[in-house]
Amino acid sequence: MNTRDATVADVDLIAQLHIESWRNAYAGILSASYLAGPIVLDRQTVWRERFNSPAPNLKVIVAEEEGQALGFVCLLGNAEDRWGTLVDNLHVLPTAKGRGVGRHLIRVAAGWSAENYPGVGLHLWVYEVNAPARAFYERMGGQVVARLPQSNPDGRIHVELCYYWPDSGSLAR
């Protein structure tokens, strides 16, 4: 498996990976009506905006195998003084889960953060009810440091947990 930096040419690919991941991981968490339709325009809009007007600390990395995209990670370097770099998105195709893609992506993300923002941590937010994702982040050594109710893209409220790695450099190894 290899990784590469995403470019503006990858907007539709990133949006599609995001949609497929959410439809699988968030069935029963986000509304079925949102996942069946509005998610498409919503995610396409989000990714077009991000790539057309990128934040200076934005990094999107795609994981591939034999030219096939398997997942991606989106980072905002040193986004918060308290917890450092934000893993804003980490998505793996449902058919690629269990193959180490997520582990590889989070380590590459941590390495990028450590190289570009030395001495800062790495964090992400995950729905409290998303047990598989929580188990993965805990296996990767993440510590829950915050709990916060948030509005979902479908308009409902869910509690999110913040997972934190104080030393992104050690996670990269």
Side-chain angles (χ1 to χ4, degrees), residues 4-17:
R4 64 173 177 81
D5 292 350
T7 68
V8 71
D10 292 312
V11 166
D12 291 333
L13 169 69
I14 298 296
Q16 189 57 42
L17 288 168

Side-chain angles (χ1 to χ4, degrees), residues 3-171:
T3 56
R4 64 173 177 81
D5 292 350
T7 68
V8 71
D10 292 312
V11 166
D12 291 333
L13 169 69
I14 298 296
Q16 189 57 42
L17 288 168
H18 199 161
I19 292 162
E20 288 183 46
S21 174
W22 272 18
R23 283 181 170 160
N24 177 265
Y26 293 165
I29 297 173
L30 297 179
S31 70
S33 61
Y34 173 77
L35 292 173
I39 188 177
V40 175
L41 182 57
D42 180 41
R43 295 298 91 191
Q44 288 172 340
T45 300
V46 164
W47 289 107
R48 283 189 184 114
E49 288 174 2
R50 283 187 181 173
F51 277 100
N52 288 332
S53 299
N57 60 340
L58 177 74
K59 181 70 158 185
V60 181
I61 302 165
V62 178
E64 296 179 322
E65 191 171 74
E66 298 178 10
Q68 172 70 36
L70 302 176
F72 75 95
V73 63
C74 174
L75 305 158
L76 292 168
N78 202 22
E80 294 184 23
D81 291 337
R82 186 172 183 189
W83 295 314
T85 295
L86 172 65
V87 177
D88 191 49
N89 289 274
L90 174 61
H91 297 285
V92 176
L93 287 175
T95 56
K97 287 189 176 181
R99 295 174 38 195
V101 179
R103 183 175 57 248
H104 181 70
L105 280 169
I106 202 161
R107 286 186 173 145
V108 168
W112 176 84
S113 180
E115 181 179 323
N116 291 280
Y117 301 93
V120 305
L122 189 77
H123 73 286
L124 56 83
W125 291 89
V126 63
Y127 292 129
E128 186 174 45
V129 297
N130 189 346
R134 290 181 55 203
F136 169 72
Y137 298 130
E138 288 166 15
R139 282 193 309 273
M140 296 300 297
Q143 306 163 2
V144 176
V145 294
R147 185 176 187 270
L148 188 64
Q150 291 286 356
S151 178
N152 292 341
D154 69 358
R156 297 187 295 173
I157 303 289
H158 278 293
V159 172
E160 291 187 12
L161 301 176
C162 182
Y163 278 84
Y164 175 62
W165 292 265
D167 180 6
S168 58
S170 67
L171 179 60

